Amino acid sequence: MERPNLVLITVDQMRADCLGIDGHPVVETPNLDYMAREGVRFSAAYSAVPSCIAARAAILTGLLQRNHGRTGYQDGVPWNYECTLPGELARSGYHTQGIGKMHFYPPRNLCGFHNVVLHDGYLGYVRRLPGDYSYYDDYTPWLKRHLNADVDFDDHGLDCNSWVARPWHLPEYLHPTNWVVTQSIDFLRRRDPTKPFFMWVSFVRPHAPLDSPQVYFDQYIDQEIPLPPVGDWADKEDRERYGLIPHTLRGIIGEKALHRALAAYYALITHIDHQLGRLFAALAEHGVLDNTFFLFTSDHGELLGDHNLFRKALPYEGSARVPFIMKFPSNWNVPRGILIDKPVELRDIMPTMLDVAGVEPSRQVDGRSLIPLVTGTSNSWREYIHGEHAYGPASNHFMTNGKEKYIWFSQTGREQYFDLERDPQERHDLIGDESLKDRISYWRSILVRELADREEGYSDGFQLIPGKTPRAILSSLCPA
């Protein structure tokens, strides 16, 4: 049988609930909905370390955070992993191509790809590296050539972490989202026709800047958009007036500004969705659509005002849960249009794609192939996901099976517990509910076990120990 092509599609900072098929009251995602109808959707998919770098390390290596070594956000740490998804596929005869956001270090590090066409978006530490920025980015010189002008992609004035929103200031075809698909289509022209291919199509959006093309901004700006949920445990006063900071992590921003941010964020998602339709059409034109396996997900979510919080890194659903859809080649005899509620994580992407390709990894990985879950041949599955993020005073760990969630803030010892089946928006913290004491104790004991041998000293094997110094990078990084 001809080996299938593989297309991994990732977006940056997209919430799991922002899918039409998931019942979102506003967002329209026709192409993703079609993928889910013809494929498989996972409702309890999580990013174990919900920020860009660590999430991509899990995708690339198939490892748990304690083994890939990234438990927070820290730029400038080399990527020296020997066993990577593109590397294993290249070793087995696949033509591999990365397009868009990789967030590897140093920039241009191939990490096993045959080639990467790079646009990581605005990364401050990269902008400060010596030499012209085009050394580290392929989109910027492309943009300058098309406009015949000395321009930059942030000339609209929006910050890359801001809730401030406005339409894209240039023609739509010059938007970074369009560029990623343009480069992906160009790879189909240039690929080796004697080999199957693996293409990682990686978008920077809907991560800020919130700068969708005008047509998508107009689609949402005048709609009635529900306000984000605010839990009974959340800060509802914002006495420090954090909401006046354009790139704030928390606080209360003005109602009009929040509406614009929500509209622009949803607009970016629909823009991506329509560009995916363009990509699927090109794959069909090249005669490879029917023999291609697709996996769509995000590196993490976006709190988007939930509980008066913004961005990511916190353990709540808006930040940690991600969309996760797989679509199989047309000749595969697998169930279609099903929803699976088992807890899955980004580390499962590598073994799943290798399984589809019929490739054994050259070393052990922590993730598991999702194919047995889809085909019903799996006798057992993991019971939970352990997530975390080194985040200063808000450093946290969480345990979830997709139906309930236990949270521990490692610096203060604060705990939270949510019943996700009855309260999917985490409005009610049940940590003080005596009727749930045994259940909370159960999750606490599992976290004690998970952290027992960690270098930070969060656990002595019997209890959690708050106040230990969090580390964004573990000594296990870059395993031999």
Side-chain angles (χ1 to χ4, degrees):
M1 181 184 294
E2 183 182 5
R3 290 202 290 176
N5 305 302
L6 308 170
V7 176
L8 171 62
I9 304 168
T10 59
V11 292
D12 192 347
Q13 208 151 305
M14 178 175 167
R15 296 168 60 99
D17 59 7
C18 283
L19 292 168
I21 197 170
D22 196 44
H24 195 281
V26 177
V27 179
E28 296 182 18
T29 51
N31 290 290
L32 291 172
D33 295 348
Y34 175 74
M35 276 187 67
R37 177 187 182 274
E38 296 297 307
V40 179
R41 184 163 60 95
F42 294 82
S43 61
Y46 287 88
S47 178
V49 186
S51 64
C52 304
I53 298 176
R56 283 169 172 75
I59 293 172
L60 191 76
T61 66
L63 297 176
L64 285 158
Q65 60 268 26
R66 64 170 176 260
N67 291 327
H68 65 60
R70 301 174 191 266
T71 55
Y73 185 102
Q74 185 169 327
D75 283 316
V77 179
W79 292 62
N80 295 324
Y81 303 110
E82 294 181 4
C83 180
T84 67
L85 172 57
E88 297 300 283
L89 290 170
R91 179 178 60 84
S92 72
Y94 273 74
H95 186 180
T96 62
Q97 174 83 5
I99 301 160
K101 180 166 184 172
M102 299 291 119
H103 217 147
F104 304 156
Y105 185 83
R108 304 291 185 194
N109 185 345
L110 291 177
C111 287
F113 281 106
H114 287 117
N115 185 57
V116 169
V117 182
L118 188 64
H119 177 55
D120 282 335
Y122 187 96
L123 298 179
Y125 81 101
V126 175
R127 302 284 284 218
R128 292 187 289 270
L129 291 175
D132 188 271
Y133 185 58
S134 63
Y135 295 166
Y136 314 110
D137 181 82
D138 294 313
Y139 168 68
T140 305
W142 178 90
L143 182 66
K144 291 180 178 181
R145 287 197 305 271
H146 276 263
L147 290 175
N148 193 28
D150 187 16
V151 296
D152 208 341
F153 54 81
D154 63 349
D155 286 346
H156 48 46
L158 301 186
D159 184 88
C160 65
N161 282 308
S162 175
W163 46 258
V164 180
R166 56 151 291 175
W168 176 244
H169 60 300
L170 298 172
E172 181 181 334
Y173 79 96
L174 298 176
H175 195 280
T177 291
N178 294 62
W179 177 84
V180 166
V181 173
T182 297
Q183 297 302 314
S184 301
I185 294 171
D186 193 52
F187 168 71
L188 297 177
R189 175 184 65 84
R190 296 183 292 103
R191 67 187 176 89
D192 184 341
T194 68
K195 296 180 177 181
F197 64 83
F198 166 62
M199 182 166 57
W200 186 351
V201 181
S202 181
F203 297 94
V204 173
R205 303 301 188 273
H207 189 297
L210 302 178
D211 61 352
S212 77
Q214 183 78 52
V215 64
Y216 298 101
F217 188 82
D218 291 347
Q219 180 177 342
Y220 290 102
I221 191 61
D222 292 327
Q223 288 198 46
E224 183 176 341
I225 298 176
L227 292 174
V230 178
D232 54 19
W233 50 271
D235 179 6
K236 300 178 180 66
E237 297 184 5
D238 191 19
R239 293 178 179 175
E240 300 296 327
R241 304 188 77 186
Y242 291 114
L244 297 181
I245 303 171
H247 56 274
T248 190
L249 298 170
R250 59 190 181 276
I252 299 174
I253 68 174
E255 187 174 325
K256 289 183 179 180
L258 180 58
H259 177 86
R260 287 176 65 85
L262 292 167
Y265 180 79
Y266 299 154
L268 287 170
I269 291 171
T270 299
H271 181 208
I272 291 170
D273 183 275
H274 287 190
Q275 286 298 302
L276 289 179
R278 177 182 166 219
L279 175 62
F280 297 153
L283 288 161
E285 291 169 0
H286 283 265
V288 294
L289 180 66
D290 288 342
N291 191 39
T292 297
F293 172 79
F294 296 92
L295 196 157
F296 171 86
T297 193
S298 180
D299 55 355
H300 51 78
E302 159 65 63
L303 284 159
L304 204 65
D306 286 5
H307 319 299
N308 296 323
L309 301 169
F310 295 88
R311 295 162 60 179
K312 59 268 189 177
L314 290 171
Y316 306 113
E317 292 287 277
S319 167
R321 194 166 72 91
V322 295
F324 203 104
I325 302 170
M326 301 193 313
K327 182 178 178 296
F328 292 83
S330 59
N331 63 345
W332 280 48
N333 185 23
V334 295
R336 301 178 190 276
I338 63 174
L339 180 66
I340 295 176
D341 65 358
K342 300 293 185 183
V344 304
E345 206 271 323
L346 298 181
R347 66 180 180 266
D348 298 323
I349 292 173
M350 178 184 185
T352 298
M353 292 204 130
L354 293 182
D355 191 4
V356 171
V359 176
E360 288 287 336
S362 60
R363 60 172 294 161
Q364 185 174 357
V365 299
D366 299 316
R368 296 175 62 180
S369 172
L370 299 171
I371 304 306
L373 275 184
V374 175
T375 59
T377 57
S378 174
N379 295 323
S380 64
W381 192 251
R382 68 172 66 93
E383 296 181 8
Y384 60 84
I385 298 294
H386 165 224
E388 64 183 290
H389 206 289
Y391 202 43
S395 294
N396 60 83
H397 292 260
F398 68 93
M399 308 292 302
T400 186
N401 57 8
K403 297 177 175 61
E404 51 189 323
K405 182 186 293 179
Y406 167 79
I407 298 170
W408 180 65
F409 289 91
S410 65
Q411 300 310 287
T412 63
R414 178 190 178 193
E415 297 175 305
Q416 291 182 297
Y417 176 85
F418 298 99
D419 181 342
L420 298 179
E421 290 189 295
R422 298 182 179 180
D423 180 26
Q425 294 184 322
E426 298 170 312
R427 292 176 181 269
H428 308 294
D429 180 7
L430 303 175
I431 196 66
D433 190 327
E434 282 296 317
S435 68
L436 297 169
K437 183 177 180 180
D438 290 344
R439 196 64 191 162
I440 293 167
S441 178
Y442 163 77
W443 284 112
R444 185 187 299 120
S445 69
I446 295 180
L447 183 58
V448 166
R449 185 177 66 203
E450 285 283 336
L451 298 177
D453 58 351
R454 285 277 292 268
E455 60 196 77
E456 301 98 330
Y458 290 140
S459 166
D460 60 5
F462 300 96
Q463 62 183 344
L464 296 172
I465 304 173
K468 299 294 184 179
T469 302
R471 297 189 59 181
I473 299 296
L474 303 180
S475 60
S476 60
L477 185 61
C478 305

